Amino acid sequence: MRVAVFGSKPYDQAFLSAANQALGEAGHDLHYFHVRLNRETWELAKGFEAVCVFVNDELTAPVLASLASHGLRFVALRCAGFNNVDLKMADQLGISVVRVPAYSPESVAEHAVGLMLTLSRKYHRAFQRVRDGNFALQGLLGFNFHGRTAGLIGLGKIGLATARILKGLGMRVIGFDQVFSEAAKAIGIEPVSLETLYADSDVISLHCPLTRDTFHLINEYSLAQMRRGVMLINTSRGGLIDTAAVIAALKSEQLGYLGLDVYEQEGDLFFEDLSDKVIADDAFERLLTFPNVLITGHQGFFTEEALGSIAEVTLRNLVQLGQGEACPNLLGSDYLA
Ligand code: NAI
């Protein structure tokens, strides 16, 4: 199958090419494009049977319609989230969309906990100080996680992996999900309402998908219900947080710490080296001025284990689609609501 791989970096190419080679005869004809797929770049995929895309490619209705008219049949997401694909339109056009629902949830969970510990113990600041011969501790005061309460919103694969680590640190873990699973119970997570989670948590970590229901879940009203000085972590999707509201809460010190691996407008910034460019996003720049804000550029998934698994599952999904076999990772009608 001829596949146009968009937004591909050297590391994507290395892992995809290795996984493709392992498929032998069943392997695909992969064409790598550095640019992201959107309404300006879609013509690069003219005549391809499949496109392989990532979190910030924009598979809007017009892009999908244009590609369908040039023979596109399959979209392979090399990620779990699919909020950047107009699934209804894809369905109408007869385009099958597959994803990688799980690929080392521990990679994101470990990153989330890394953000938490770094914000509390300020490793990033200590690293700079010690290299500069400054061994003063003033400004590095942290807090123990042991005995504190963590509130997790979304208890799927990553939420549960995060809970396991936090339990290991000796935290009380409470959680909110639409469905409270046996697995969550087995880990010892206490099911609570969102109101209780906001009121009781010292650390809140977001692990639910971005949907119409969860857009700006964290806003001025939810922030006001939280404990003063709370730590908020988002490794899920930027749109879960109203950026203006968290900036106001940081200024009033209602929000004590903010750790982000995702950002609402990250499509204009992340995955590129912009170090010699002027960044025009004032809200993002304001966030960077707070000493208690730590931002990483969507790297939660970025481990050897996760990239290997993503490449393998993505290419296997395409083999199954190409051979007309049932693919368990197809985004079917249950996702169209
Ligand atoms: P999952 O599908 O296993 O779990 C999501 C959970 O959220 C489910 O249990 C679901 O019931 C729950 N949920 C849905 N709507 C909710 C709501 N309104 N309130 C509370 N819970 C709700 O997904 P997984 O693998 O745990 O991933 C979670 C999210 O992490 C993904 O949606 C994706 O956005 C993000 N992600 C981020 C990565 C990164 O590199 N930073 C990498 C992979 C995923």
Side-chain angles (χ1 to χ4, degrees), residues 247-258:
I247 289 174
L250 284 161
K251 284 165 79 174
S252 70
E253 299 183 25
Q254 166 67 5
L255 187 54
Y257 308 83
L258 177 65

Side-chain angles (χ1 to χ4, degrees), residues 154-157 159-161 163-164 175-191:
L155 299 171
K157 291 172 286 296
L160 293 187
R164 280 187 210 100
F176 172 77
D177 197 309
Q178 290 156 332
V179 193
F180 193 81
S181 66
E182 282 302 314
K185 210 187 315 170
I187 294 171
I189 304 172
E190 297 168 37

